[in-house]
Amino acid sequence: MSNESAAPRKPFRRLLLTGAAGNLGKQLRGALAQWADTVRITDVAPLDAVAAHEEASVVDLADRAAVDALLEGVDAVVHLGGISVDAPFDDLIEANIRGTYNLYAAAQRHGVKRVVFASSNHAIGFHPVTEVLDADSPQRPDSLYGVTKCFGEALSRYYYDRFGIETVCLRIGSSFEEPKNPRMLVTFLSYRDFIELVRCSLFTNRVGHAIVYGVSDNPARWWDNTKVGFLGFRPQDSSAQFADRFPVSAPTAAYDDPAQRFQGGAFVVGEPMERSR
Amino acid sequence: MSNESAAPRKPFRRLLLTGAAGNLGKQLRGALAQWADTVRITDVAPLDAVAAHEEASVVDLADRAAVDALLEGVDAVVHLGGISVDAPFDDLIEANIRGTYNLYAAAQRHGVKRVVFASSNHAIGFHPVTEVLDADSPQRPDSLYGVTKCFGEALSRYYYDRFGIETVCLRIGSSFEEPKNPRMLVTFLSYRDFIELVRCSLFTNRVGHAIVYGVSDNPARWWDNTKVGFLGFRPQDSSAQFADRFPVSAPTAAYDDPAQRFQGGAFVVGEPMERSR
Amino acid sequence: MSNESAAPRKPFRRLLLTGAAGNLGKQLRGALAQWADTVRITDVAPLDAVAAHEEASVVDLADRAAVDALLEGVDAVVHLGGISVDAPFDDLIEANIRGTYNLYAAAQRHGVKRVVFASSNHAIGFHPVTEVLDADSPQRPDSLYGVTKCFGEALSRYYYDRFGIETVCLRIGSSFEEPKNPRMLVTFLSYRDFIELVRCSLFTNRVGHAIVYGVSDNPARWWDNTKVGFLGFRPQDSSAQFADRFPVSAPTAAYDDPAQRFQGGAFVVGEPMERSR
Amino acid sequence: MSNESAAPRKPFRRLLLTGAAGNLGKQLRGALAQWADTVRITDVAPLDAVAAHEEASVVDLADRAAVDALLEGVDAVVHLGGISVDAPFDDLIEANIRGTYNLYAAAQRHGVKRVVFASSNHAIGFHPVTEVLDADSPQRPDSLYGVTKCFGEALSRYYYDRFGIETVCLRIGSSFEEPKNPRMLVTFLSYRDFIELVRCSLFTNRVGHAIVYGVSDNPARWWDNTKVGFLGFRPQDSSAQFADRFPVSAPTAAYDDPAQRFQGGAFVVGEPMERSR
Amino acid sequence: MSNESAAPRKPFRRLLLTGAAGNLGKQLRGALAQWADTVRITDVAPLDAVAAHEEASVVDLADRAAVDALLEGVDAVVHLGGISVDAPFDDLIEANIRGTYNLYAAAQRHGVKRVVFASSNHAIGFHPVTEVLDADSPQRPDSLYGVTKCFGEALSRYYYDRFGIETVCLRIGSSFEEPKNPRMLVTFLSYRDFIELVRCSLFTNRVGHAIVYGVSDNPARWWDNTKVGFLGFRPQDSSAQFADRFPVSAPTAAYDDPAQRFQGGAFVVGEPMERSR
Amino acid sequence: MSNESAAPRKPFRRLLLTGAAGNLGKQLRGALAQWADTVRITDVAPLDAVAAHEEASVVDLADRAAVDALLEGVDAVVHLGGISVDAPFDDLIEANIRGTYNLYAAAQRHGVKRVVFASSNHAIGFHPVTEVLDADSPQRPDSLYGVTKCFGEALSRYYYDRFGIETVCLRIGSSFEEPKNPRMLVTFLSYRDFIELVRCSLFTNRVGHAIVYGVSDNPARWWDNTKVGFLGFRPQDSSAQFADRFPVSAPTAAYDDPAQRFQGGAFVVGEPMERSR
């Protein structure tokens, strides 16, 4: 990779993107190209169509030495890696707990000062759907997966207070091409808004340790980002255009159905999984 | 009344509208037709122009048996009935206290699980005009009428906690064709926004026991609905278009005039009335 | 009744005590004798052992004219009257709603400026036992009885904001000779502390409209009176001395038993009652 | 000055504008002409181009008698006068402390009941840039200048509580033709929005003692005016149009640089100045 | 082990104590004997002086099957096990993350409904010493050890919301025979008060998911347990009796010394450790 | 001054006490002797009975150079100086505004890092007597004197944020030999408790910028020091022993009497004074 002499420098010299082979990782690769001369991309899964400005490597986040190497020469990190659904706890430990620790430990060693961390709405999924949360609402994980996201939020807080590594924790709602069910009319985050949220998280001069909900400007709201207005995130999209996909119906669900009562939806009725060996 | 074979089912089978002969009741009848196969309408006053999909009856809400019959076969209720101005307490007891109790008692017996209850800004009218309220602001009734609305909010809370009957309490501002005085530039709720608010209150899958202010997107705001963002209510109208009806003037009202100091306006200087017999 | 020439005047000329034949009313009669030259006592039930300084009358609080006469020449009121258990709503309307209105309407007419109102913990009984409440906690009535106490709190607020009649609402826990069950180890209010609470409520120079929990200094606490510290109420007793009445046991109650989960205890599983005719 | 017979009266008879020769004072003169028959303008610096409806005088705010004369016959005041940058404390005392006292003392004597007071974001400049403030956030002055603005806020609160003189304290961000540095992308207040904010502050019927942030609808937000929604201030402009003036860059500033960490920017690293004599 | 026929049953049939060989574990063994017929004690270190009512076993908490066996037939758990100082993260993962998960997973399988979990003040050690915290204060771990305690709090919250397993998280201060340094005059928890806190945590009928600070009634306070008053914890001891151990001195520590600025003391300047292999 | 060889060093080398000739200053002189080798005492009034360990000088706080000299070689300051009653604003400017500025400016120049500042309850005297305040309650000065105390709180906050000079602001109630009127039964601060409060303020290792109410453990409370529990201030005295000085009476004061409605008492009805020349 080289920066041609005529090309103006981009704001970042090198950004690291973990989880680059995932759904959201793919969305970001194009945007990151605009913001950094070099984008280091990594995943446990193979990465395709590596561009000239990209440095690709397949890395297991639980591999401390490999993660340490990833952080070499990096300005900032977008950490989407790890397991993003519920899973056996032994797997979650490796990918989301040891992996996130390895990332921050390496960031500290290499003097990296900014991380954008993909937390999740499942860190707060056991709040009822009749409550509006903000950055100060207490964690209410709805699954072991959610618990590991709470761990990531606590760990990054420590690295901020102790070493000044700033993190924006994105409690991402449902970021897909379009909402897939009525719940997602509330939790939908368009790809465009997701990219804008990462942009704000990378470029705002100071972010401290921020908790922001990743959600578009949908008609119904469970999450209020007023307290992180300093990020300048203003979503442009709304789930309203997809509302007619889901036939309007009277609220008929059984009163005690937890999947209807809590923000985490179906996650709240999941069971801890065992690893099949 | 029948559902013709070719007609698709509407979301609700049967909705009950009390206070159907009143100002706001009339506004709702058209909208309810879109949402329910059958709309049962009732009032103490006669109802005119009853449509094919409507079931009309004249009922005194203080008549327990009659109210019980009204709730038979109903999916949800929009409860606008009762007295909506200040009145002798003996009258308010019958219409707003006994009447509202009768409605909830009947709802419980018939398994109805959703009520949209017309509370009023007069439940909080003794807050000063220099304060912005939200769903957690304490009650400050400005009249005996307002006290009965506080009663209705407490009663419906009980029926939610005890029996799971969900209620949206609408603290309605001033819902008329247009604002009639300068205070209404702040409290105006257009008919269109009122109907949308009822729609959100009926169709949101879970509402718990919610307190929402019924107000359009007027320039000046006394009330903030952020905490009930889960209802998805986004007003479309504003009193701004009516601002030039009221000549701009310097703030000349006497400093201690209660009707200018408190949100309830002229209500706060009313006197308890005696029933003329 | 006469004030002998040599006798020094007591702080109050005449106090009115409603509900004087009830359990707590009987406790207060002795104390009131110290504070007022004349104590007017009233109840629907007969009053016995009327002392020289007492004026006794049997009055139904729903009788407006009779209540009006009671307030004549009174300095302040301790309003314990009405129904203090769950009951058919028709009865509660007469005793607790119409009766309390009659009392305040008469107080206004006669210029009485201070009321001590026996509200109840059942106005907030649907809060969970794992939450500590204070004066700003929202109402959560656990019964129709509790709803009428919420009404009394709202009504007295109105009379304060509108007419400057100050009220201390006592959310009384369990005031008996001694705790009768394990729940009462938390909610116990000794008679001595009850009397002291009424004393503070009558003599504090300004009370505005205050919400105070009537509870002794028991080891476990659901209620915190910090916000009404201006009343100077410092309980002297504790349920600790009665703790050994109830054998210590592991927490075995079924997890979902509402009577164990909520502060109101058995009230929260009561059913609205019908008046037997 | 005269009101010609055919001319309709404007809302105010006479407004006083202090600091009329300053940057913001000049912006306001045109607007005030629309709102008042007569505009009395004053400054320590000479005033040019005095219009027919204007009464101009050069006054040192520390001159009690002169200030007293200024308030004669005035309906309301827009107080922009005083020193608006950091300065030796001896100078700040005269202009901002004695001067503001003189203004309020004179307002009281002359029965003036409304003041719009130019406070400053430097009254809260020691809050970090990762915090969103509102009207209840505690003062954190970032300079002696900021301390004198805190004084003005406390003094005006006293005159409100004691004498009913209402004040809107405008915590003005950066009101210039356009943002001059990246910080001003957050703090920018367009002239148009500044004028609108003064208009809302003068014409809202009751304002009590209000704290409002003077800021346009910029993408990133440090300040939230929800609690003063009763003023009806809705900014029309945004710094977004100027964003490309400042090249986007990675957050490279040293982690501990106070001028980057706190809302006051460079003010927070200023030193108290001595008056050169 | 047997319950002799004449012996009255104790409140619990069988309690499990993990970390029984540690400092606090030893303190508890005597108390637990009073509360349970059988006390199952476990540690990774050998246990000495096993009494007749005790069932002892050496278990590594990272061993899922062994932990599962420990929970068999247990009524409630006091979980002091795991690493209680800072340590290499690989070790903390096994003892405090996998170990705590194993404990809760086993508790769920065996229907255990109450856990007393030894969290730590190091979960909030990065709060400044000039702030008073309560149960709602956000986590601010001061070390990787503290991060694993945050994990335990989040995990136990999940098991409460999902499966109804109640946990009291004890954020223990400094529980030793006596304070060892000036900081411990604030954080001291006497053994007697520690035992009482465990007693309250085990016997309170409902605890939900509670956060309580484990601290005696010391003169200076960083932590306020008002919000968990329902536990009935009233400390009997105070560090005041040890105050003269530490010579009074002027506050001379360097202003920026983190170990003096933050509640965690020396922990806040620790460095993540590597496991020496 | 010399420290004899045999004498153990006291915690402070030299403390400065301003306002040493005043009522509270006199109380402190004895205590300070225990805490510092040398106590520099100063006042505008003559100081009598200067002890061997004391350095006395008569200084006008408005004299910058003289104040600068006072701070030379000082470890910490107890700043009681200035005017402590309402007074003409011109006088208050010199003593309380310029004087307090001079003190902090000199403290900064001389590297002094701790000030105990005598603020006053009159900084918050316009809060009603039916409200309980804490360290975060907004300022509500009840007099120009109170406004200058607000200034001192803001100024000291600036010196803390900017230069790390820590201040404890003592909002002193009524510190006299004994209460002089019924209001002082609430606001009484015994001399012993006052001295203890100063001791806590000087010796607590870190205090940041703290707001503490100076009040004994009186039965009725307007002020709650929970948020500054880190100071370790536990009052030992109570006004209860003086209660019988004031005959108990019914609350007869006129409802709208401001001196009864607000915490500041008679101050709230004072008028700004003119300096008689």
Side-chain angles (χ1 to χ4, degrees), chain C residues 49-99:
Chain C
V50 177
H53 72 282
E54 291 181 322
E55 298 171 348
S57 58
V58 173
V59 166
D60 182 341
L61 292 168
D63 177 342
R64 189 156 306 166
V67 171
D68 191 78
L70 278 179
L71 272 288
E72 171 83 40
V74 158
D75 294 331
V77 183
V78 181
H79 179 44
L80 309 182
I83 296 174
S84 62
V85 292
D86 215 352
F89 193 67
D90 287 331
D91 296 339
L92 289 167
I93 280 188
E94 297 311 312
N96 291 13
I97 289 183
R98 199 184 308 277

Side-chain angles (χ1 to χ4, degrees), chain C residues 23 79 89 208 220 231 236 266 274-275:
Chain C
N23 178 34
H79 179 44
F89 193 67
L231 291 174
Q236 300 300 313
E274 285 302 314
R275 183 143 63 169

Side-chain angles (χ1 to χ4, degrees), chain A residues 11-12 113-114 160 164-166 199 202-208 226-234, chain D residues 129-132 186 217-222 224 226 248-257 260-261:
Chain A
F12 287 96
K113 288 296 189 191
R114 176 71 54 93
Y160 172 62
I165 300 176
E166 296 189 309
R199 192 189 67 77
L202 282 173
F203 285 97
T204 298
N205 197 40
R206 295 295 167 100
V207 298
T226 299
K227 286 180 180 163
V228 285
F230 57 83
L231 291 175
F233 173 55
R234 302 275 186 111
Chain D
V129 296
T130 50
E131 212 173 273
V132 175
V186 185
D217 185 26
N218 306 325
R221 289 174 179 152
W222 291 339
D224 175 11
T226 300
V248 175
S249 65
T252 52
Y255 179 70
D256 289 322
D257 175 1
Q260 300 290 334
R261 285 175 61 205

Side-chain angles (χ1 to χ4, degrees), chain D residues 83-264:
Chain D
I83 296 174
S84 62
V85 292
D86 215 350
F89 193 66
D90 287 331
D91 297 338
L92 290 166
I93 279 188
E94 298 310 313
N96 291 11
I97 289 184
R98 199 183 308 276
T100 305
Y101 168 71
N102 285 345
L103 187 103
Y104 276 91
Q108 180 211 342
R109 276 190 295 269
H110 292 285
V112 179
K113 288 295 189 192
R114 176 72 53 93
V115 179
V116 181
F117 168 57
S119 182
S120 166
N121 73 82
H122 296 292
I124 47 83
F126 253 122
H127 283 281
V129 296
T130 50
E131 212 173 273
V132 175
L133 311 182
D134 67 19
D136 293 336
S137 298
Q139 297 174 338
R140 291 284 180 273
D142 60 18
S143 54
L144 292 175
Y145 163 66
V147 171
T148 65
K149 290 302 177 184
C150 294
F151 167 84
E153 293 184 3
L155 182 77
S156 55
R157 180 76 217 188
Y158 167 65
Y159 274 91
Y160 172 61
D161 286 332
R162 179 64 184 87
F163 299 107
I165 300 176
E166 296 189 308
T167 293
V168 180
C169 297
L170 313 181
R171 289 184 178 165
I172 298 170
S174 305
S175 197
F176 297 104
E177 196 75 50
E178 54 190 59
K180 299 175 177 180
N181 56 45
R183 174 179 174 271
M184 290 192 190
L185 292 176
V186 185
T187 60
F188 179 64
L189 174 67
S190 74
Y191 288 147
R192 180 167 64 158
D193 284 340
F194 168 67
I195 291 167
E196 170 65 6
L197 179 54
V198 173
R199 192 190 67 78
C200 293
S201 301
L202 282 173
F203 285 97
T204 298
N205 197 41
R206 296 295 167 99
V207 299
H209 182 264
I211 304 283
V212 61
Y213 294 89
V215 68
S216 289
D217 185 26
N218 306 325
R221 289 174 179 152
W222 291 339
W223 307 321
D224 175 11
N225 279 327
T226 300
K227 286 180 180 162
V228 286
F230 57 84
L231 291 174
F233 173 55
R234 303 275 186 111
Q236 300 300 311
D237 294 313
S238 165
S239 66
Q241 59 174 313
F242 304 104
D244 55 9
R245 303 281 173 91
F246 306 100
V248 175
S249 65
T252 52
Y255 179 70
D256 289 322
D257 175 1
Q260 300 290 334
R261 285 175 61 205
F262 296 105
Q263 297 188 359

Side-chain angles (χ1 to χ4, degrees), chain A residues 18 35 68 78 94 109 122-125 131 152 155 196 211 215 233 240 248 252-253 258:
Chain A
T18 71
W35 304 334
D68 191 78
V78 181
E94 297 310 312
R109 276 191 295 269
H122 296 293
I124 47 82
E131 213 174 274
L155 182 77
E196 170 64 6
I211 304 283
V215 68
F233 173 55
V248 175
T252 52

Side-chain angles (χ1 to χ4, degrees), chain C residues 32-176:
Chain C
L32 295 180
Q34 314 303 311
W35 304 333
D37 297 331
T38 304
V39 181
R40 186 171 289 163
I41 58 177
T42 185
D43 206 300
V44 282
L47 293 155
D48 52 13
V50 177
H53 72 282
E54 291 181 322
E55 298 171 348
S57 58
V58 173
V59 166
D60 182 341
L61 292 168
D63 177 342
R64 189 156 306 166
V67 171
D68 191 78
L70 278 179
L71 272 288
E72 171 83 40
V74 158
D75 294 331
V77 183
V78 181
H79 179 44
L80 309 182
I83 296 174
S84 62
V85 292
D86 215 352
F89 193 67
D90 287 331
D91 296 339
L92 289 167
I93 280 188
E94 297 311 312
N96 291 13
I97 289 183
R98 199 184 308 277
T100 305
Y101 168 72
N102 285 345
L103 186 103
Y104 276 91
Q108 181 211 342
R109 275 190 297 269
H110 293 284
V112 179
K113 289 296 189 190
R114 177 71 54 95
V115 179
V116 182
F117 168 57
S119 183
S120 166
N121 74 83
H122 296 292
I124 47 82
F126 253 122
H127 284 281
V129 295
T130 50
E131 212 173 275
V132 175
L133 309 184
D134 67 19
D136 293 336
S137 298
Q139 297 174 336
R140 291 284 179 272
D142 61 17
S143 53
L144 291 175
Y145 164 66
V147 171
T148 66
K149 290 301 177 185
C150 294
F151 167 85
E153 294 185 1
L155 183 78
S156 55
R157 179 80 217 185
Y158 167 67
Y159 274 91
Y160 172 62
D161 285 332
R162 178 67 184 86
F163 299 107
I165 300 175
E166 295 190 309
T167 293
V168 181
C169 297
L170 313 181
R171 288 182 178 166
I172 298 170
S174 305
S175 198
F176 297 103

